[in-house]
Amino acid sequence: PFFVPVLQSNRYGVAGYTIGDDVPIDLLQGVPTAVPSGAFGGSEDWSLSKNGAVAVSARPPMSEDEVWTTNRHIYLIEKIPPSENTGKVAEGDFEELLGKCITKENPGYDTNPVFSPDGKRLAWLTMKSPTYESDAVGILVYDLETKQTTTLIEAETDWDYSPNSLKWSKDGKTLFFTADVRSRQALCSIDSTIGVSKQKGSGGIRILKGDQSSFLHGEVSGSDDGHLLLASVQSLSMPTELFLVDSRIENKQQLRQLTHFNTQRITDTNLGKAEEFIYKGENDDDVQSWLIRPARFTEQDNNTKVPSSEKQSPLVVIYHGGPQGSSGDDWHYRWNLQYWASMGFAVFSPNFHGSTGFGHKFCRDISKNWEVGGRDTILGVQAVLKEYPWID
């Protein structure tokens, strides 16, 4: 990433901002690492505080075990590096040039650094294992003044799900995050100073919106007590739209749709009815799956297990990859289950052992046991055919 100062301006009598004339500064200073890292990295791999500090998530440069590990550290650069270092090949202590490594003791994957609004604290997501890319994820917070790190969510032990994004509330009292919870991206929150282990009852984690799948953009300016959140929401029957979510209400439908980019198109399109189907898989465990009825079904057909005889339909099975991923309640633009339903298929998509969002043990069950995914899928097809006689 490069840094360019942004200055206030009053050009032509109009208040605004402009980019300074300085040379863009290479925050990595030529160190042989990558930010963003790998094919799936992005702007979430670095953060810039209001006080000028920078945090990056990067692989330890020139590490001998780089090929065999998922390890990435959080490096804290307290001040923007000088511009004369830009364009040069780094020499000397690479890690020193990257700044202070605040995760040196953790051999696993540390990512998504984000500064608090006042710039005094830094939160990030963390995994413990250096060789397991689907490890449980926790949340840590580093205090730039005391140099102390606090655990908000201890990976594996505090919660059965893994956060996958982070955003601070404007007052710095709350951390919002999303997590894959039973094949939906749930919008959640936690107090930014008190960890789960110090709280009673639910452990301080609040699921603000657990139906459909959400992505948080931030708080809405001017809302009372900062309780209104702007989020993208999608499901198996709705492409992404923007919503206002009330963070004061847990698991309630206190939200307002702001955009209707696809409302009319969806109204004019026959979609298959999406429903959850739970069946017994390997070891007699419950396995969650999605069943999409053919788009040509009438409302009456959708509300019965035995539609009229002419509604016999073939079955297509969509098997997600990873294998530690999931088929989610979202409008996927590559694996869209409604595509098959529109062609007259009944669609079955199982979240077999190894899928994310159903507990850490369930996710690990496929490690060194890849056959379990196939066995779960076969058991699911058998259960679907038994439950729905209209599937041919």
Side-chain angles (χ1 to χ4, degrees), residues 196-210:
V196 169
S197 61
K198 297 179 182 179
Q199 304 220 25
K200 297 179 181 179
S202 63
I205 298 174
R206 300 172 61 215
I207 296 181
L208 307 174
K209 181 171 173 53

PDB file of all heavy atoms in Angstrom, residues 196-210:
ATOM      1  N   VAL A 196     -15.068 -12.056  26.348  1.00  0.00           N
ATOM      2  CA  VAL A 196     -16.158 -13.019  26.548  1.00  0.00           C
ATOM      3  C   VAL A 196     -16.031 -13.718  27.891  1.00  0.00           C
ATOM      4  O   VAL A 196     -17.014 -13.902  28.609  1.00  0.00           O
ATOM      5  CB  VAL A 196     -16.164 -14.060  25.408  1.00  0.00           C
ATOM      6  CG1 VAL A 196     -17.093 -15.210  25.741  1.00  0.00           C
ATOM      7  CG2 VAL A 196     -16.601 -13.397  24.104  1.00  0.00           C
ATOM      8  N   SER A 197     -14.812 -14.102  28.264  1.00  0.00           N
ATOM      9  CA  SER A 197     -14.622 -14.876  29.487  1.00  0.00           C
ATOM     10  C   SER A 197     -14.985 -14.092  30.748  1.00  0.00           C
ATOM     11  O   SER A 197     -15.224 -14.682  31.804  1.00  0.00           O
ATOM     12  CB  SER A 197     -13.171 -15.345  29.590  1.00  0.00           C
ATOM     13  OG  SER A 197     -12.288 -14.236  29.639  1.00  0.00           O
ATOM     14  N   LYS A 198     -15.060 -12.766  30.655  1.00  0.00           N
ATOM     15  CA  LYS A 198     -15.379 -11.938  31.818  1.00  0.00           C
ATOM     16  C   LYS A 198     -16.851 -11.567  31.891  1.00  0.00           C
ATOM     17  O   LYS A 198     -17.276 -10.848  32.784  1.00  0.00           O
ATOM     18  CB  LYS A 198     -14.536 -10.659  31.786  1.00  0.00           C
ATOM     19  CG  LYS A 198     -13.037 -10.900  31.881  1.00  0.00           C
ATOM     20  CD  LYS A 198     -12.266  -9.609  31.827  1.00  0.00           C
ATOM     21  CE  LYS A 198     -10.763  -9.858  31.884  1.00  0.00           C
ATOM     22  NZ  LYS A 198      -9.999  -8.598  31.810  1.00  0.00           N
ATOM     23  N   GLN A 199     -17.632 -12.033  30.930  1.00  0.00           N
ATOM     24  CA  GLN A 199     -19.038 -11.673  30.900  1.00  0.00           C
ATOM     25  C   GLN A 199     -19.901 -12.868  31.263  1.00  0.00           C
ATOM     26  O   GLN A 199     -19.502 -14.017  31.130  1.00  0.00           O
ATOM     27  CB  GLN A 199     -19.415 -11.154  29.501  1.00  0.00           C
ATOM     28  CG  GLN A 199     -18.542  -9.991  29.075  1.00  0.00           C
ATOM     29  CD  GLN A 199     -19.327  -8.922  28.347  1.00  0.00           C
ATOM     30  OE1 GLN A 199     -20.521  -8.781  28.534  1.00  0.00           O
ATOM     31  NE2 GLN A 199     -18.647  -8.163  27.518  1.00  0.00           N
ATOM     32  N   LYS A 200     -21.102 -12.581  31.696  1.00  0.00           N
ATOM     33  CA  LYS A 200     -22.028 -13.629  32.106  1.00  0.00           C
ATOM     34  C   LYS A 200     -23.044 -13.891  31.000  1.00  0.00           C
ATOM     35  O   LYS A 200     -23.161 -13.150  30.039  1.00  0.00           O
ATOM     36  CB  LYS A 200     -22.759 -13.200  33.388  1.00  0.00           C
ATOM     37  CG  LYS A 200     -21.832 -12.996  34.585  1.00  0.00           C
ATOM     38  CD  LYS A 200     -22.624 -12.557  35.803  1.00  0.00           C
ATOM     39  CE  LYS A 200     -21.699 -12.339  37.001  1.00  0.00           C
ATOM     40  NZ  LYS A 200     -22.452 -11.889  38.200  1.00  0.00           N
ATOM     41  N   GLY A 201     -23.819 -14.947  31.190  1.00  0.00           N
ATOM     42  CA  GLY A 201     -24.897 -15.244  30.242  1.00  0.00           C
ATOM     43  C   GLY A 201     -24.364 -15.626  28.886  1.00  0.00           C
ATOM     44  O   GLY A 201     -23.627 -16.594  28.721  1.00  0.00           O
ATOM     45  N   SER A 202     -24.696 -14.835  27.857  1.00  0.00           N
ATOM     46  CA  SER A 202     -24.324 -15.151  26.477  1.00  0.00           C
ATOM     47  C   SER A 202     -22.862 -14.856  26.189  1.00  0.00           C
ATOM     48  O   SER A 202     -22.394 -15.066  25.077  1.00  0.00           O
ATOM     49  CB  SER A 202     -25.208 -14.354  25.505  1.00  0.00           C
ATOM     50  OG  SER A 202     -24.991 -12.954  25.688  1.00  0.00           O
ATOM     51  N   GLY A 203     -22.135 -14.337  27.203  1.00  0.00           N
ATOM     52  CA  GLY A 203     -20.734 -14.061  26.982  1.00  0.00           C
ATOM     53  C   GLY A 203     -20.465 -12.736  26.324  1.00  0.00           C
ATOM     54  O   GLY A 203     -19.340 -12.441  25.941  1.00  0.00           O
ATOM     55  N   GLY A 204     -21.475 -11.889  26.189  1.00  0.00           N
ATOM     56  CA  GLY A 204     -21.273 -10.559  25.650  1.00  0.00           C
ATOM     57  C   GLY A 204     -21.357 -10.462  24.145  1.00  0.00           C
ATOM     58  O   GLY A 204     -21.323  -9.347  23.603  1.00  0.00           O
ATOM     59  N   ILE A 205     -21.434 -11.574  23.434  1.00  0.00           N
ATOM     60  CA  ILE A 205     -21.586 -11.545  21.978  1.00  0.00           C
ATOM     61  C   ILE A 205     -23.067 -11.406  21.642  1.00  0.00           C
ATOM     62  O   ILE A 205     -23.887 -12.206  22.086  1.00  0.00           O
ATOM     63  CB  ILE A 205     -21.015 -12.812  21.324  1.00  0.00           C
ATOM     64  CG1 ILE A 205     -19.514 -12.916  21.592  1.00  0.00           C
ATOM     65  CG2 ILE A 205     -21.288 -12.810  19.820  1.00  0.00           C
ATOM     66  CD1 ILE A 205     -18.903 -14.207  21.108  1.00  0.00           C
ATOM     67  N   ARG A 206     -23.395 -10.391  20.893  1.00  0.00           N
ATOM     68  CA  ARG A 206     -24.780 -10.168  20.476  1.00  0.00           C
ATOM     69  C   ARG A 206     -24.910 -10.435  18.979  1.00  0.00           C
ATOM     70  O   ARG A 206     -24.118  -9.918  18.185  1.00  0.00           O
ATOM     71  CB  ARG A 206     -25.229  -8.738  20.788  1.00  0.00           C
ATOM     72  CG  ARG A 206     -25.176  -8.355  22.257  1.00  0.00           C
ATOM     73  CD  ARG A 206     -25.460  -6.871  22.426  1.00  0.00           C
ATOM     74  NE  ARG A 206     -26.788  -6.531  21.932  1.00  0.00           N
ATOM     75  CZ  ARG A 206     -27.105  -5.383  21.321  1.00  0.00           C
ATOM     76  NH1 ARG A 206     -26.157  -4.493  21.066  1.00  0.00           N
ATOM     77  NH2 ARG A 206     -28.333  -5.142  20.936  1.00  0.00           N
ATOM     78  N   ILE A 207     -25.881 -11.240  18.604  1.00  0.00           N
ATOM     79  CA  ILE A 207     -26.190 -11.422  17.180  1.00  0.00           C
ATOM     80  C   ILE A 207     -27.299 -10.423  16.845  1.00  0.00           C
ATOM     81  O   ILE A 207     -28.450 -10.571  17.264  1.00  0.00           O
ATOM     82  CB  ILE A 207     -26.622 -12.861  16.881  1.00  0.00           C
ATOM     83  CG1 ILE A 207     -25.456 -13.823  17.151  1.00  0.00           C
ATOM     84  CG2 ILE A 207     -27.078 -12.986  15.423  1.00  0.00           C
ATOM     85  CD1 ILE A 207     -25.764 -15.275  16.861  1.00  0.00           C
ATOM     86  N   LEU A 208     -26.926  -9.390  16.109  1.00  0.00           N
ATOM     87  CA  LEU A 208     -27.854  -8.310  15.793  1.00  0.00           C
ATOM     88  C   LEU A 208     -28.785  -8.685  14.648  1.00  0.00           C
ATOM     89  O   LEU A 208     -29.934  -8.263  14.606  1.00  0.00           O
ATOM     90  CB  LEU A 208     -27.076  -7.034  15.430  1.00  0.00           C
ATOM     91  CG  LEU A 208     -26.032  -6.588  16.462  1.00  0.00           C
ATOM     92  CD1 LEU A 208     -25.235  -5.411  15.922  1.00  0.00           C
ATOM     93  CD2 LEU A 208     -26.704  -6.227  17.776  1.00  0.00           C
ATOM     94  N   LYS A 209     -28.247  -9.444  13.701  1.00  0.00           N
ATOM     95  CA  LYS A 209     -29.056  -9.901  12.564  1.00  0.00           C
ATOM     96  C   LYS A 209     -28.526 -11.246  12.133  1.00  0.00           C
ATOM     97  O   LYS A 209     -27.412 -11.341  11.602  1.00  0.00           O
ATOM     98  CB  LYS A 209     -29.012  -8.896  11.417  1.00  0.00           C
ATOM     99  CG  LYS A 209     -29.856  -9.325  10.209  1.00  0.00           C
ATOM    100  CD  LYS A 209     -29.985  -8.220   9.184  1.00  0.00           C
ATOM    101  CE  LYS A 209     -30.690  -8.727   7.919  1.00  0.00           C
ATOM    102  NZ  LYS A 209     -31.974  -9.382   8.192  1.00  0.00           N
ATOM    103  N   GLY A 210     -29.308 -12.306  12.380  1.00  0.00           N
ATOM    104  CA  GLY A 210     -28.843 -13.654  12.097  1.00  0.00           C
ATOM    105  C   GLY A 210     -29.533 -14.319  10.931  1.00  0.00           C
ATOM    106  O   GLY A 210     -29.116 -15.390  10.491  1.00  0.00           O
TER     107      GLY A 210
END
